[in-house]
Amino acid sequence: MTALYPIQDTFVRGEISPRLHARASLDFYRAALSVCENFVTLPHGGIRKRGGTAFVGEVKLSAKATRIVPFVFSSEQAYALEFGDRYIRVHAYGARVGTVEVVSPYVEADLFDLAYVQSADQMWITHRAYPPRVLTRTAHEAWNLDDFEFLDGPYDQINDTATTLRPADYGSLTPKMTSNTTPSGTVSDYGGSASAWRLFDKDTGSHAEGVGTNGSVTYRTAGGEQVIVENYYLTARSGGEVDRTPTNWVLEGSNDGSTWVALDSRNSETGWSGGETRYYEFFNKTGFEYHRFTFKAINGATDVDFAELTLNRAAASQAAFALTASSTAGINGGAGFQASDVGRAIRLFASDGRWRWAKIALVTSPTVVMIRLYGYALPDLSPISRWRLGTFVPGKYVECGSLYEERLAFSRRFSVYASRTGDFDNFALGEKDDDALEFIQAGGGQANDIVWIAESDGALVIGTSGGIRALSGSGVDEALTPSSFKNRRSRTFGCARVRPVDAGQSFLYVTRSRRAIAELSQVQASKFASDDIGQISEHIAKKGVVELAYQSDPDPVLWFPVESGELGGFTHQPSQDVRGMHRHRIAGTFDGQPWASVESACVTPGRNGVDDLWLVVKRTIGGVVRRYIEIMTAPFEYGALEDAFNVDSGLTYEGAAVTTVSGAGHLEGEVVDVLADGKVYRGLAVADGQVSLPHGASAGTWQVGLPFAAEAATLELDVGGRDGSLVGRRKKIGRVILSLFETDTTGLRLRSMVRGHWESVRVPSVVLPDGKASLFSGNVEVPIDDSWEGQGRIEIRHAGPTPCTIRTLTPVFDAEP
């Protein structure tokens, strides 16, 4: 028989499904492994032992599920948020941020259904069972979680029943005045006119006597009350003499009647018609006792004369007033107002043909609520027949969000709601290009819930349980507006309620069953296609994907915890045809399994130029379940061996040479490995939070943590057959040639898949005279004790707190002819 030397110089397809272990004719077969555990497939072709995990701290409530979420302001200001049962803690760069802890309403059972979208120092958090909230960072150690206030929308359909709503107040600065001093407050100036109050009598048919072409009118609140005014409207006289309407003016506020602050000014407001009303708004958050309207010019006559000046009383300055329904029809399915309607918006179409909006402050009965009015004051107190209730009520809150074209967008069931451009609080619908908009997802004839939305080039991508659609402007490179939109269906898989990730050239998302990961690629403007990227490694994702986290540096890897507690990895560089899955078992034990359970994962930029992979890891320590936050360290490359970090839940000590280190209380009673000044110590016990080197040895650099091994196994290679395939024929390996890079060979062993006898890799002078390990790069031959039934397959195992990289592997074997 002739010896065969089939080199395997690439492993970029990673660990493939057992269903494909005999498919030697497939193109990817020779770049695949049957096992790839705790090794990462590299874009260069080789496999490298993963980095260890550095211990950050124990979560607040170890007995309860915990989720880790990224909060990235910039590459230099990045945080990981610990979401637990009714609290949020903040971590950054391997440590907790001070004592920051924010009280939250989110219970343990809902943590992994929370959705979030972030912009700069704010993160909007949504869940169908909770009103949306916004988490704000105002300083490194100053964080707040507040209700998110939707301004004016979104709303249900306009009422189509006979039910009317009658307001008990106007929401204006002044009451309906009947004299200059009644019913409250004082009207003055205006040339001392006794009829100045008619400008505030809520009657557009009356007017005050003229007082020349310039002058002013002032209203002072009763009892020194300071009221915030944000807008107003001016109404001209009905009929003739509209040339007496002011054209230039200034509105001012004061708290002493002598020092005035300009709030708003207008010029050249000409061309008035009889009975016309014009509306004005301005920014102001300061309350004043006096408000003065000074007119400086009129349309051309000699005396000013107009019907009404109506200044609003901002909601922050209002006492809630009653809004009474004529019946319960059309309100909550005929049940009338409910206690859960507190905080709900309501839109009112007033007699002047303009919509106002209010917020319910209190429910007093099925037909009566107390409201605060926002925006312009009401012109009268007549019953309102056109009204709309706010869309969001308990159990029907928004479910996920995204930013798109300077809009904040949310989704719920079949609908997408997008804010005004550049105004993330305002969801008032309109017809202008920058107005808020609402889109009802048709779903291609199916009523499929929207489970996530995400921003992509030129489109808002909508993931539904039935597939993916794209919402965009109607033309190429055209902005999405209320009047310009198109909704395209893409031939894709149904989506799970798991946040997708942007992998640079494409999106990666979890399919509806949570048992596969798909890649979403843009094939043309606003049109996408999907491919199941994990099909050749389907056995990994089929354990149930929990969430996704994408790391771009040092290598492009998608990380995904699965329900078995393993951590899935997917090296993803499609431009180089690199797509390989690998599995990782974090050291420890949990629930009877010989590895710790990864519960959650996220990625943030790290301080050393690479991305930090944050993990929430469950272990059984001393018979008690512990949940630890850990960071998977960057894999070793181009460094000094004593700096290698290949232990889990580990700690680093650097300083004066010592024989004992402390601070390992989180591993009390566990057996750990230590790399001390480049020398390997295995099987040391943690007692009283301390670890000691044997025989009085000391070191200045320690890496201490739980040991783990990296394992790989090859497939049956199909090479050298003169009369067909060698798959299934008898083979026997005599030796293996490995090409290694920066590898501590003292921890490296190989064996045949049949014999089960491990062969150590021996390289001359790999251990220095002082007992320290050294790193080897180059080729090494390893003899293998194999059987003719071995099928030409081998297993590789690297154990210990040191690095290992395998560039190529060549099994030398004989086979049946």
Side-chain angles (χ1 to χ4, degrees), residues 765-790:
S765 302
V766 73
V767 178
L768 299 178
D770 58 3
K772 295 181 180 178
S774 66
L775 299 179
F776 175 79
S777 296
N779 296 334
V780 61
E781 288 194 15
V782 184
I784 297 294
D785 178 18
D786 196 11
S787 161
W788 277 101
E789 308 304 323

Side-chain angles (χ1 to χ4, degrees), residues 588-807:
T589 61
F590 177 74
D591 197 25
Q593 62 192 19
W595 64 85
S597 179
V598 177
E599 186 168 60
S600 182
C602 79
V603 170
T604 66
R607 277 188 172 163
N608 58 356
V610 302
D611 293 335
D612 285 339
L613 173 63
W614 297 76
L615 305 173
V616 175
V617 182
K618 292 185 293 186
R619 290 187 184 85
T620 303
I621 304 289
V624 178
V625 174
R626 302 289 186 187
R627 283 177 166 87
Y628 296 155
I629 295 177
E630 301 174 13
I631 296 178
M632 183 179 288
T633 60
F636 179 85
E637 55 184 6
Y638 310 120
L641 176 60
E642 56 265 28
D643 295 325
F645 196 97
N646 288 100
V647 292
D648 284 342
S649 200
L651 299 171
T652 297
Y653 167 82
E654 289 183 310
V658 294
T659 60
T660 300
V661 295
S662 57
H666 66 291
L667 297 177
E668 185 67 27
E670 298 293 309
V671 173
V672 298
D673 278 4
V674 176
L675 182 65
D677 284 348
K679 189 173 182 179
V680 174
Y681 297 89
R682 306 190 65 181
L684 304 182
V686 179
D688 296 326
Q690 297 182 330
V691 180
S692 299
L693 297 180
H695 312 302
S698 64
T701 300
W702 296 51
Q703 317 293 350
V704 182
L706 297 173
F708 69 91
E711 299 186 2
T714 63
L715 294 162
E716 182 178 2
L717 295 182
D718 185 24
V719 294
R722 294 192 300 269
D723 58 352
S725 173
L726 287 182
V727 173
R729 300 191 190 188
R730 297 196 307 160
K731 307 176 189 69
K732 181 179 181 181
I733 298 177
R735 65 188 188 276
V736 173
I737 303 172
L738 294 175
S739 177
L740 305 175
F741 180 69
E742 292 187 329
T743 296
D744 169 29
T745 59
T746 61
L748 185 60
R749 298 187 298 171
L750 282 71
R751 72 178 179 182
S752 161
M753 293 287 286
V754 172
R755 288 290 195 190
H757 175 69
W758 290 103
E759 299 286 351
S760 298
V761 177
R762 295 177 176 86
V763 177
S765 302
V766 73
V767 178
L768 299 178
D770 58 3
K772 295 181 180 178
S774 66
L775 299 179
F776 175 79
S777 296
N779 296 334
V780 61
E781 288 194 15
V782 184
I784 297 294
D785 178 18
D786 196 11
S787 161
W788 277 101
E789 308 304 323
Q791 300 180 342
R793 298 176 61 192
I794 62 167
E795 292 180 272
I796 305 167
R797 191 173 195 270
H798 188 277
T802 51
C804 173
T805 298
I806 299 173
R807 295 183 292 204

Side-chain angles (χ1 to χ4, degrees), residues 499-542:
R499 181 183 176 87
V501 295
D502 185 347
Q505 299 177 9
S506 59
F507 274 92
L508 302 176
Y509 68 96
V510 181
T511 62
R512 182 174 58 229
S513 67
R514 289 182 178 255
R515 292 161 59 87
I517 299 172
E519 180 176 20
L520 182 71
S521 302
Q522 190 163 2
V523 294
Q524 63 185 61
S526 302
K527 197 166 182 65
F528 298 84
S530 281
D531 184 30
D532 182 353
I533 60 173
Q535 189 171 29
I536 67 172
S537 304
E538 44 83 30
H539 63 299
I540 298 178
K542 272 190 174 178

Side-chain angles (χ1 to χ4, degrees), residues 525-562:
S526 302
K527 197 166 182 65
F528 298 84
S530 281
D531 184 30
D532 182 353
I533 60 173
Q535 189 171 29
I536 67 172
S537 304
E538 44 83 30
H539 63 299
I540 298 178
K542 272 190 174 178
K543 296 172 183 176
V545 178
V546 175
E547 58 187 351
L548 304 179
Y550 184 73
Q551 184 178 37
S552 59
D553 198 311
D555 298 305
V557 179
L558 174 74
W559 299 99
F560 54 99
V562 292

Side-chain angles (χ1 to χ4, degrees), residues 40 98 164 205 242 251 280 331 334 364 439 511 586 664 666 699 703 729:
V40 174
T164 61
V242 294
L251 178 66
Y280 307 95
I331 304 174
T364 61
F439 174 77
T511 62
I586 306 300
H666 66 291
Q703 317 293 350
R729 300 191 190 188

Side-chain angles (χ1 to χ4, degrees), residues 312-589:
N312 85 317
R313 179 182 285 260
S317 291
Q318 282 181 31
F321 57 89
L323 184 70
T324 302
S326 60
S327 74
T328 60
I331 304 174
N332 290 324
F337 293 113
Q338 306 294 305
S340 58
D341 286 327
V342 171
R344 192 176 186 181
I346 185 167
R347 210 166 197 224
L348 307 168
F349 190 74
S351 60
D352 59 358
R354 294 181 70 94
W355 285 96
R356 272 77 167 174
W357 78 280
K359 186 166 287 188
I360 298 173
L362 179 68
V363 176
T364 61
S365 76
T367 57
V368 179
V369 291
M370 304 297 289
I371 66 169
R372 289 187 174 88
L373 188 72
Y374 289 75
Y376 297 106
L378 292 166
D380 55 48
L381 304 183
S382 59
I384 295 171
S385 60
R386 297 185 67 190
W387 47 267
R388 307 177 70 177
L389 284 172
T391 294
F392 303 135
V393 294
K396 295 173 60 179
Y397 295 117
V398 290
E399 298 173 12
C400 51
S402 178
L403 294 170
Y404 179 66
E405 293 185 343
E406 299 303 316
R407 298 177 186 268
L408 177 60
F410 292 110
S411 70
R412 189 196 68 181
R413 292 300 306 276
F414 318 127
S415 299
V416 174
Y417 310 94
S419 72
R420 291 191 63 179
T421 302
D423 188 357
F424 292 168
D425 297 339
N426 195 330
F427 284 75
L429 301 180
E431 298 179 358
K432 297 179 182 178
D433 284 353
D434 63 348
D435 280 340
L437 57 91
E438 177 181 351
F439 174 77
I440 298 177
Q441 170 64 33
Q446 299 179 7
N448 294 311
D449 281 9
I450 297 172
V451 294
W452 52 259
I453 55 177
E455 182 178 21
S456 180
D457 294 338
L460 181 67
V461 181
I462 302 172
T464 80
S465 56
I468 290 176
R469 305 185 74 90
L471 180 64
S472 65
S474 58
V476 177
D477 293 328
E478 187 173 338
L480 177 65
T481 71
S483 60
S484 173
F485 61 88
K486 63 183 175 185
N487 166 34
R488 281 191 171 184
R489 174 179 176 268
S490 297
R491 298 190 180 279
T492 56
F493 304 104
C495 307
R497 198 177 293 276
V498 176
R499 181 183 176 87
V501 295
D502 185 347
Q505 299 177 9
S506 59
F507 274 92
L508 302 176
Y509 68 96
V510 181
T511 62
R512 182 174 58 229
S513 67
R514 289 182 178 255
R515 292 161 59 87
I517 299 172
E519 180 176 20
L520 182 71
S521 302
Q522 190 163 2
V523 294
Q524 63 185 61
S526 302
K527 197 166 182 65
F528 298 84
S530 281
D531 184 30
D532 182 353
I533 60 173
Q535 189 171 29
I536 67 172
S537 304
E538 44 83 30
H539 63 299
I540 298 178
K542 272 190 174 178
K543 296 172 183 176
V545 178
V546 175
E547 58 187 351
L548 304 179
Y550 184 73
Q551 184 178 37
S552 59
D553 198 311
D555 298 305
V557 179
L558 174 74
W559 299 99
F560 54 99
V562 292
E563 291 178 2
S564 68
E566 291 178 296
L567 177 65
F570 177 66
T571 305
H572 180 259
Q573 196 170 59
S575 62
Q576 302 298 317
D577 199 26
V578 175
R579 294 180 173 89
M581 282 198 179
H582 28 94
R583 294 177 299 105
H584 301 269
R585 291 181 171 179
I586 306 300
T589 61

Side-chain angles (χ1 to χ4, degrees), residues 293-307:
F293 180 81
T294 301
F295 46 93
K296 299 181 178 181
I298 59 177
N299 251 357
T302 58
D303 281 317
V304 68
D305 194 355
F306 60 99

